[in-house]
């Protein structure tokens, strides 16, 4: 069993598709083992995306991530990191496969509806960034 962090970004929450995103996870056999809605501060967004701090889009990305509430979830399942990335689709929705969340709902390379951890090490960091052990109920 593996765990990963999923975020529904401010554009996804604003589009009222929280349920639609969760339905796709559950349909794929993925379990939601923790969930909360929150509004990140600029500092919290910068800490979360620290790996991207040298990128030209860092300022815009962190401002977007603080522009409204998000939903954070811990997902659990076999090979869930890769499975979630597949359900999300490519970063740029224009390159995302048909039937993926980003292909169906993203409008912009930045405003791409969802985040998913990309490796076991980043998943461990990102889950701990949002949730304490007691908030994760497997
Ligand atoms: P995420 O980490 O959010 O799951 P990802 O792993 O597909 O997405 P990353 O390369 O980690 O993509 O980039 C993080 C986020 O930064 C992207 O999801 C997107 O919102 C934004 N981003 C990435 N590349 C660009 C770009 N060239 N211009 C603007 N924003 C970008
Ligand atoms: Mg990433």
């Amino acid at each position: 069993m593996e765990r990963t962090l999923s975020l529904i970004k401010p554009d996804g929450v604003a589009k009222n598709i929280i349920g639609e995103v969760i339905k796709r996870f559950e349909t794929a056999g993925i379990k939601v083992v923790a969930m909360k809605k929150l509004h990140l501060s600029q500092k919290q967004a910068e800490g979360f995306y620290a790996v991207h701090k040298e990128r030209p889009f860092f300022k815009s990305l962190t401002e977007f991530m603080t522009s409204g509430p998000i939903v954070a979830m811990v997902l659990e399942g076999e090979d869930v990191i890769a499975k979630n990335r597949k359900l999300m689709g490519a970063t740029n929705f224009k390159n995302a496969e048909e039937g993926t969340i980003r292909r169906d709902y993203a409008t912009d390379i930045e405003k791409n509806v969802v985040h998913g951890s990309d490796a076991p090490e980043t998943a461990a960091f990102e889950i701990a960034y949002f949730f304490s052990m007691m908030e994760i109920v497997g």
Side-chain angles (χ1 to χ4, degrees):
M1 261 325 148
E2 196 174 62
R3 285 177 176 172
T4 192
L5 183 86
S6 167
L7 298 179
I8 304 177
K9 296 182 180 185
D11 60 327
V13 173
K15 285 192 172 102
N16 237 7
I17 53 170
I18 296 170
E20 172 63 31
V21 171
I22 293 172
K23 184 166 157 239
R24 290 179 184 220
F25 296 152
E26 292 186 332
T27 301
I30 293 169
K31 251 176 90 175
V32 178
V33 293
M35 175 160 66
K36 63 174 86 168
K37 189 179 189 184
L38 67 160
H39 196 143
L40 290 176
S41 70
Q42 185 63 26
K43 278 249 150 48
Q44 289 168 334
E46 287 171 6
F48 180 71
Y49 275 125
V51 288
H52 293 315
K53 67 174 179 293
E54 305 304 333
R55 304 271 205 108
F57 56 80
F58 182 68
K59 185 166 185 285
S60 173
L61 172 63
T62 53
E63 285 174 359
F64 161 57
M65 289 301 289
T66 61
S67 67
I70 63 170
V71 172
M73 285 173 275
V74 180
L75 306 181
E76 186 179 87
E78 205 176 304
D79 209 17
V80 73
I81 295 172
K83 256 189 204 159
N84 178 41
R85 300 279 299 184
K86 194 154 174 63
L87 291 171
M88 287 162 56
T91 308
N92 188 342
F93 73 103
K94 290 178 183 166
N95 305 326
E97 267 181 62
E98 255 179 78
T100 60
I101 295 167
R102 283 167 168 171
R103 176 66 171 259
D104 288 347
Y105 295 108
T107 50
D108 190 288
I109 186 165
E110 178 181 81
K111 295 170 185 64
N112 58 6
V113 186
V114 279
H115 162 85
S117 311
D118 57 13
E121 306 73 49
T122 48
F125 167 79
E126 292 176 357
I127 289 169
Y129 200 82
F130 281 96
F131 295 95
S132 75
M133 254 169 61
M134 285 173 68
E135 294 174 312
I136 304 170
V137 184

